[in-house]
Amino acid sequence: QVTAKTAFLFILPQYNVSVPTADGELVQYHYGLKDLVTILFYIFIAIILHAVVQEYALDKINRRLHLSKVKHSKFNESGQLVAFHLTSVIWCLYVVVTEGYISNPRSLWENYPHVYLPYQVKFFYLCQLAYWLHALPELYFQKVRKEEIPRQLRCIALYLLHIAGAYLLNLTRLGLILLLLQYLAEFFFHMARLVYFTDENNEKLFNVWAVVFVVTRLFTLTLYILVIGFGLPRVESQALDPERGNFFSFLFNNILFRMSVLLLVCLFQASVMWRFIHFQLRRWREYWNEQSSRKRAAAAAGSTKQQTKLPKRDSGYHENGVVKAENGTSPRTKKLKSP
């Protein structure tokens, strides 16, 4: 029984509390230091799943495609993230629908701070933290090139900052919706890269990703304005109370602070959109340059073919329907042998 308790510490979320409701008691959870043990266990699970996807799916596809080293590394990265993002989108969508966060947007800020979490919400956050922490040793296991390490470290750090911040500051409901939007756009991007590596002429999914990216950015900005600008300032409990998990809602009574936060959010989203537009313009410019070079090469090949083609010359010329020799005399008729 002692080993069972220790195993539960690693496998199951801790800090369960019975919360009284109108229908009886409801078991919910809050966070604590024991969550680190659970996260450590699921880091090892994520490493094992990463190896399974790599060996039984991605490596087999790579052997058939015969990609270069650079494309091989990017293909593995996108393949792993497609599997993760697809799983996370389905899981996150199920959580937000069953918990009613989409059907009732007011629940994103009502009764803040959201100290007590349903089981599936807490387990989702623990698994997300475990996955992005497992990505750090995977940089060594996958032998990622030195040029790619800074970019991937920035990506991992931003995800960990967002997920851990939402979890520790009791903004888990808002964090779930933002993760759903972000993962949806990322799924289409990495799926488009996989299709591009298999067929470089197929870039249709990049256009789909561009539309999804713009739509998700607009929804993200709208959600920030709705929650920060209108939702949190209306919370009843506006006093600083770290014991109850209320860390900063009192700050949103100050209109100057609220507008400063919204300005920072808008500037960040604007910078993301600017990088996206710059990327699209560069991609379109490369596409049109490639098309024009192909047309020039085809035109040059056609003119060369016409020049090398010799004109067909007749042995004589025609005059009044009779073939004449070049000196003007009629060609000699062939004598027929007598039978």
Side-chain angles (χ1 to χ4, degrees):
Q1 189 174 0
V2 176
T3 56
K5 289 182 179 179
T6 306
F8 289 150
L9 180 64
F10 283 89
I11 299 172
L12 298 177
Q14 303 299 310
Y15 304 105
N16 55 316
V17 178
S18 297
V19 180
T21 60
D23 299 330
E25 290 187 349
L26 182 64
V27 178
Q28 293 191 329
Y29 297 81
H30 60 94
Y31 61 81
L33 290 177
K34 292 181 180 179
D35 290 341
L36 297 176
V37 180
T38 310
I39 291 173
L40 179 63
F41 173 77
Y42 285 102
I43 286 175
F44 292 114
I45 298 296
I47 292 174
I48 294 172
L49 293 177
H50 190 114
V52 169
V53 173
Q54 184 67 43
E55 182 174 355
Y56 291 99
L58 298 179
D59 286 345
K60 291 183 178 180
I61 299 174
N62 276 321
R63 293 191 194 101
R64 296 181 180 180
L65 296 178
H66 305 289
L67 299 174
S68 63
K69 290 184 178 180
V70 177
K71 290 184 178 180
H72 184 274
S73 177
K74 292 182 178 180
F75 184 87
N76 288 337
E77 178 191 356
S78 293
Q80 292 288 347
L81 289 175
V82 161
F84 169 71
H85 288 316
L86 179 61
T87 305
S88 297
V89 165
I90 296 174
W91 189 3
C92 188
L93 183 62
Y94 174 79
V95 171
V96 297
V97 170
T98 54
E99 294 297 331
Y101 299 153
I102 292 181
S103 59
N104 183 20
R106 290 178 177 271
S107 61
L108 298 179
W109 62 82
E110 282 184 343
N111 301 321
Y112 178 83
H114 308 133
V115 179
Y116 298 112
L117 308 175
Y119 172 82
Q120 59 180 353
V121 175
K122 176 165 183 176
F123 189 60
F124 177 82
Y125 270 92
L126 294 180
C127 291
Q128 292 293 313
L129 290 170
Y131 179 85
W132 290 110
L133 285 172
H134 111 281
L136 294 173
E138 285 294 342
L139 295 176
Y140 173 77
F141 295 147
Q142 295 292 321
K143 298 180 181 180
V144 178
R145 296 185 305 141
K146 292 182 179 181
E147 297 82 4
E148 292 291 324
I149 290 179
R151 178 185 63 83
Q152 296 200 22
L153 284 177
R154 286 195 300 269
C155 179
I156 294 170
L158 287 174
Y159 274 113
L160 286 174
L161 181 64
H162 171 82
I163 298 170
Y167 185 64
L168 297 175
L169 297 176
N170 301 312
L171 289 168
T172 51
R173 300 179 182 181
L174 176 62
L176 281 173
I177 305 296
L178 294 177
L179 274 179
L180 177 61
L181 295 172
Q182 177 66 21
Y183 284 166
L184 186 64
E186 289 292 312
F187 167 75
F188 279 101
F189 172 72
H190 290 288
M191 194 66 197
R193 281 219 304 185
L194 289 181
V195 174
Y196 176 76
F197 288 141
T198 56
D199 182 11
E200 294 187 355
N201 295 322
N202 191 347
E203 297 187 0
K204 294 180 180 179
L205 268 182
F206 278 111
N207 298 328
V208 177
W209 164 70
V211 175
V212 173
F213 182 86
V214 173
V215 172
T216 53
R217 289 302 101 191
L218 292 176
F219 271 104
T220 300
L221 184 59
T222 304
L223 195 61
Y224 272 119
I225 295 174
L226 182 64
V227 175
I228 296 176
F230 299 98
L232 288 177
R234 297 181 181 180
V235 174
E236 295 179 0
S237 178
Q238 295 288 352
L240 177 63
D241 191 359
E243 294 182 358
R244 293 186 61 252
N246 195 344
F247 294 103
F248 58 86
S249 64
F250 71 98
L251 294 173
F252 288 96
N253 277 334
N254 188 341
I255 189 172
L256 181 61
F257 176 81
R258 188 162 68 246
M259 295 303 296
S260 300
V261 172
L262 288 176
L263 180 61
L264 289 176
V265 169
C266 292
L267 289 176
F268 176 75
Q269 295 298 324
S271 66
V272 171
M273 286 299 300
W274 169 251
R275 289 197 297 270
F276 168 77
I277 294 172
H278 180 71
F279 170 78
Q280 290 295 326
L281 291 176
R282 184 181 62 185
R283 188 170 71 89
W284 288 337
R285 184 166 56 249
E286 292 175 354
Y287 173 78
W288 288 115
N289 289 338
E290 183 180 358
Q291 292 295 322
S292 61
S293 63
R294 287 182 179 179
K295 290 180 180 179
R296 287 196 299 268
S303 61
T304 304
K305 186 176 180 181
Q306 289 179 358
Q307 290 176 1
T308 56
K309 185 178 179 181
L310 295 174
K312 185 177 179 180
R313 297 181 60 185
D314 294 329
S315 58
Y317 63 94
H318 296 267
E319 184 177 342
N320 297 327
V322 179
V323 178
K324 298 291 184 178
E326 292 184 358
N327 56 3
T329 60
S330 300
R332 297 176 59 186
T333 57
K334 186 177 180 179
K335 294 183 180 180
L336 298 175
K337 293 182 180 181
S338 59

